[in-house]
Amino acid sequence: MQIRKATIVDMDLLIKLRSDFLLSDVEGYSVQEVEVIREKNRSYFEKWIPSGNLLVFVAEDNDETCSTAFLSIVERPPRNADTSNLVGTVYNVYTYPQYRRKGIATKVMAALLDEAKVLGVASVDLLATDDGKPLYEKLGFQIPNYTTMRIKFD
């Protein structure tokens, strides 16, 4: 099992991983919706991977991709003098069904978080499914004192 950081050379793999995640039981998009999103993902990856504002880690076993996790990094206004202004958001944590419950997602997330620390990211947020909560808690994620709220403009 190898855990590695993806690069722009992995574009087709990243689009496949994102598409598979969106089509999964977690997200439940239709095939038609995902086809429309594919090219938008290509543009997004082309912009943000080279800039360093998007990290993607993958787990591979014998050249077969098993699991992935994405991290977007943004700079926010300073909150205090002692911490970095960089914050991350994890998304697209996905392990193919045949590889689940083997600790692979834990290893992918640990690699992603280690890289975030090296880059000076002060905090990382994510939205967790009920199935994912034990994994994230094991890695040190906690429920903050505030509640995530969202408004959609679509």
Side-chain angles (χ1 to χ4, degrees):
M1 181 73 53
Q2 175 191 0
I3 311 294
R4 69 176 180 86
K5 184 166 86 171
T7 68
I8 198 70
V9 173
D10 297 302
M11 176 68 73
D12 291 336
L13 173 63
L14 299 179
I15 291 171
K16 179 184 181 335
L17 291 168
R18 182 77 175 139
S19 297
D20 290 350
F21 173 76
L22 293 174
L23 289 167
S24 74
D25 55 352
V26 174
E27 291 294 316
Y29 283 70
S30 72
V31 172
Q32 294 80 11
E33 289 170 312
V34 171
E35 283 305 313
V36 171
I37 294 169
R38 287 176 68 84
E39 285 310 307
K40 290 182 177 183
N41 280 323
R42 181 176 301 281
S43 298
Y44 180 83
F45 296 147
E46 286 172 346
K47 179 177 182 179
W48 296 111
I49 289 174
S51 74
N53 294 91
L54 175 65
L55 302 178
V56 181
F57 277 76
V58 296
E60 297 171 323
D61 188 29
N62 296 322
D63 295 327
E64 189 168 323
T65 303
C66 310
S67 184
T68 189
F70 292 50
L71 177 74
S72 291
I73 301 170
V74 298
E75 186 172 7
R76 293 202 178 144
R79 294 184 80 181
N80 63 50
D82 297 333
T83 61
S84 165
N85 301 338
L86 299 177
V87 295
T89 302
V90 172
Y91 59 98
N92 211 113
V93 179
Y94 184 65
T95 301
Y96 287 100
Q98 65 271 30
Y99 295 103
R100 292 181 185 162
R101 306 281 183 239
K102 298 180 180 181
I104 298 169
T106 300
K107 291 176 184 171
V108 171
M109 282 295 298
L112 186 78
L113 295 172
D114 286 346
E115 181 77 6
K117 288 178 203 171
V118 167
L119 295 173
V121 174
S123 65
V124 174
D125 295 320
L126 58 77
L127 295 174
T129 62
D130 287 339
D131 287 342
K133 284 180 185 175
L135 161 67
Y136 305 128
E137 289 170 346
K138 183 169 69 173
L139 291 167
F141 283 86
Q142 301 173 353
I143 297 172
N145 292 332
Y146 60 87
T147 301
T148 299
M149 298 176 70
R150 176 175 294 150
I151 185 170
K152 291 183 81 169
F153 296 112
D154 314 281

